[in-house]
Amino acid sequence: MAQASSEKLYRQAEEIIPGGVNSPVRSCRAVGTHPLFIAKGQGSKIFDVDGNSYIDYVGSWGPLILGHAHPEVVEAIKKAAELGTSFGIPTTLEIELAQMITKLVPSMEMVRMVNSGTEATMSAIRVARGYTGRSKIIKFDGCYHGHADTLLVKAGSGAATLGIPGSAGVPADFVQHTLSLRFNDLDEIAAVMQKQGQEVAAIILEPVAGNMGVVPPKPGFLEGLRKWCDETGALLIFDEVMTGFRLALGGAQELYGVQPDLTCLGKVIGGGLPVGAYGGRREIMSQVAPLGEVYQAGTLSGNPLAVTAGLTTLKILSKPGVYDELEERSNHLFNEMSRLAEKHKVVSTTNRVGSMGCLFFTERTVVDFDSAQTADTQKFAHMFCAMLERGVYLAPSQFEAAFVSLAHDQEDIDKTLAAADEVFKEI
Ligand code: HOZ
């Protein structure tokens, strides 16, 4: 497939943008190629500057649950833009979105809009520390909560992909209060909480990890964390930036029936525009300025374009049957993928929850970062390139998720499986 224009643009970009990209994992370094430059997206497809089209399972890393350029979302954004793009002064749209979020995610009694998932998690941590008066934070190896200093410890996503899970430029002092434990290991949590539970401000996690590939919580894991938080007064923070409005309207907390104290949102809630949000119990959120003494602010927070895109997306997602449809398509795709791998004797394991999933090239059951890291990343790189060649765009890293959207139809899924059938023969 000719990609000469993308390649040329990448060389230009490299001169003036670090690594030629505005977010590291996009560089495609981990899969030994250069990034595509995208001209447009429509439904389930993206089109590069060389005129190639690809069935896209990245969906802007999760937000595009309705597919690219959904007509209702585009129309709503256009209308909002005509009325002004940003005021830094409240609009009624912000109330509407906050009402919708608090209704759909009942653990969020109050919510504050921000501009990205990183801002949401960083702010939630600050609120947890302010509310509890404690400093320690527990996170889990391979979970990724954006690029705030405190949370860049044994981090997943691009950090894991590029081998920098603890970033340079983060002074040791800044992460001395961050403990990173093994995902899905309640014994490890028990050992730490028994000794230090009274010093812990919060346990933060992706309830379904999506940044070390996809790793579901073992039965009882989320409940166990809830129990430890209740016993010690630490807050439980669910980073639902990826899972919020994706796994269910009420996110992973609805799916697993465990309520956190604070929730972080992003991706789907912005309908493809830059948005984040954090919220939780009224008593906790009342610590946020100007009500309380935890400071957090943002010029573009709650801006009308992003809020409109989010609102329109959530309204469409609220229609009956949407998540059943997503479940059915995703189940079919990942089950068949796994069957094809088996048919061609490709050693692999498939993890999926709802419309997010991934295939790890390992014989191990993947339950945490250590088992995820047993995956053969060379094989993944081969698969990425071979699928791309056949018109299927996967995330360019073993440690990311594939997202199915409502725009992926049977034809897309059949083409994807036909490509996988060929590719597995070579692996
Ligand atoms: N951290 C994002 C995926 N988990 C990557 C975002 C991007 O590169 O656009």
Side-chain angles (χ1 to χ4, degrees):
M1 202 175 271
Q3 291 162 352
S5 304
S6 274
E7 213 174 330
K8 197 169 154 215
L9 287 167
Y10 181 49
R11 302 296 159 226
Q12 276 177 32
E14 274 186 314
E15 295 296 317
I16 41 171
I17 303 174
V21 287
N22 283 311
S23 189
V25 75
R26 293 177 199 180
S27 67
C28 295
R29 279 183 186 216
V31 288
T33 184
H34 60 82
L36 298 178
F37 279 71
I38 298 304
K40 68 167 188 172
Q42 194 63 59
S44 61
K45 314 245 177 10
I46 47 175
F47 301 80
D48 69 14
V49 287
D50 289 285
N52 306 304
S53 76
Y54 307 85
I55 302 167
D56 177 24
Y57 289 99
V58 174
S60 189
W61 303 91
L64 300 181
I65 194 163
L66 305 178
H68 292 273
H70 188 282
E72 283 177 57
V73 178
V74 171
E75 195 47 40
I77 296 172
K78 276 188 195 161
K79 277 199 183 139
E82 279 164 11
L83 300 175
T85 54
S86 181
F87 306 109
I89 305 172
T91 63
T92 50
L93 288 167
E94 292 163 64
I95 307 178
E96 217 187 307
L97 185 58
Q99 282 172 338
M100 189 129 188
I101 294 171
T102 51
K103 186 172 134 228
L104 297 174
V105 190
S107 73
M108 299 177 81
E109 293 171 355
M110 289 185 108
V111 60
R112 173 60 72 80
M113 300 303 299
V114 290
N115 301 289
S116 68
T118 292
E119 274 188 56
T121 53
M122 181 183 84
S123 309
I125 295 288
R126 188 176 301 147
V127 171
R129 285 175 164 159
Y131 175 77
T132 58
R134 304 172 181 181
S135 301
K136 280 196 173 35
I137 296 293
I138 294 179
K139 71 172 284 291
F140 294 93
D141 304 348
C143 278
Y144 176 75
H145 304 290
H147 60 273
D149 285 346
T150 327
L151 292 162
L152 270 184
V153 179
K154 296 191 181 170
S157 189
T161 305
L162 299 167
I164 37 176
S167 171
V170 177
D173 287 1
F174 288 23
V175 287
Q176 63 172 322
H177 299 300
T178 307
L179 299 173
S180 192
L181 306 183
R182 188 188 290 269
F183 192 77
N184 268 330
D185 187 341
L186 276 180
D187 291 341
E188 201 168 48
I189 272 284
V192 172
M193 292 303 268
Q194 269 155 9
K195 273 204 195 137
Q196 307 177 51
Q198 301 301 325
E199 298 160 50
V200 174
I203 299 179
I204 183 167
L205 80 160
E206 303 174 70
V208 173
N211 284 290
M212 48 173 143
V214 174
V215 183
K218 282 185 181 167
F221 181 59
L222 301 178
E223 290 83 348
L225 298 180
R226 181 65 273 172
K227 183 180 132 290
W228 276 112
C229 287
D230 291 341
E231 279 177 20
T232 58
L235 300 187
L236 182 60
I237 306 177
F238 277 3
D239 174 349
E240 295 230 41
V241 168
M242 225 179 236
T243 54
F245 306 105
R246 174 160 285 281
L247 300 187
L249 260 185
Q253 52 197 274
E254 178 186 309
L255 196 68
Y256 293 97
V258 176
Q259 291 222 333
D261 299 295
L262 289 170
T263 299
C264 303
L265 296 170
K267 300 200 190 272
V268 171
I269 201 192
L273 267 69
V275 170
Y278 66 99
R281 293 203 333 254
R282 182 172 301 276
E283 183 200 357
I284 301 170
M285 288 302 287
S286 301
Q287 306 297 313
V288 179
L291 278 187
E293 292 185 353
V294 175
Y295 196 73
Q296 177 271 311
T299 297
L300 290 166
S301 299
N303 99 81
L305 295 196
V307 169
T308 299
L311 257 176
T312 312
T313 302
L314 297 194
K315 281 180 190 159
I316 297 171
L317 291 175
S318 303
K319 292 181 186 156
V322 161
Y323 289 92
D324 294 340
E325 206 175 314
L326 266 177
E327 171 65 23
E328 202 181 302
R329 286 179 209 179
S330 313
N331 185 37
H332 175 63
L333 175 69
F334 285 100
N335 275 351
E336 279 302 293
M337 197 64 113
S338 160
R339 190 188 62 78
L340 291 172
E342 221 168 283
K343 172 178 145 192
H344 294 293
K345 303 202 173 15
V346 173
V347 176
S348 66
T349 182
T350 305
N351 282 356
R352 175 188 76 91
V353 181
S355 56
M356 52 194 273
C358 78
L359 182 129
F360 293 98
F361 289 98
T362 176
E363 60 194 358
R364 296 265 301 270
T365 308
V366 177
V367 293
D368 54 26
F369 197 30
D370 283 345
S371 41
Q373 284 180 311
T374 63
D376 185 332
T377 51
Q378 294 299 326
K379 280 194 181 155
F380 179 83
H382 183 129
M383 178 171 179
F384 172 86
C385 294
M387 291 297 277
L388 191 72
E389 205 43 45
R390 291 164 175 81
V392 179
Y393 189 75
L394 302 172
S397 163
Q398 172 72 88
F399 304 115
E400 297 285 354
F403 296 102
V404 179
S405 78
L406 286 160
H408 288 97
D409 60 16
Q410 194 55 46
E411 197 185 328
D412 292 324
I413 291 178
D414 289 347
K415 277 192 185 156
T416 306
L417 292 170
D421 198 12
E422 283 180 21
V423 169
F424 286 151
K425 260 186 239 163
E426 308 168 352
I427 289 179

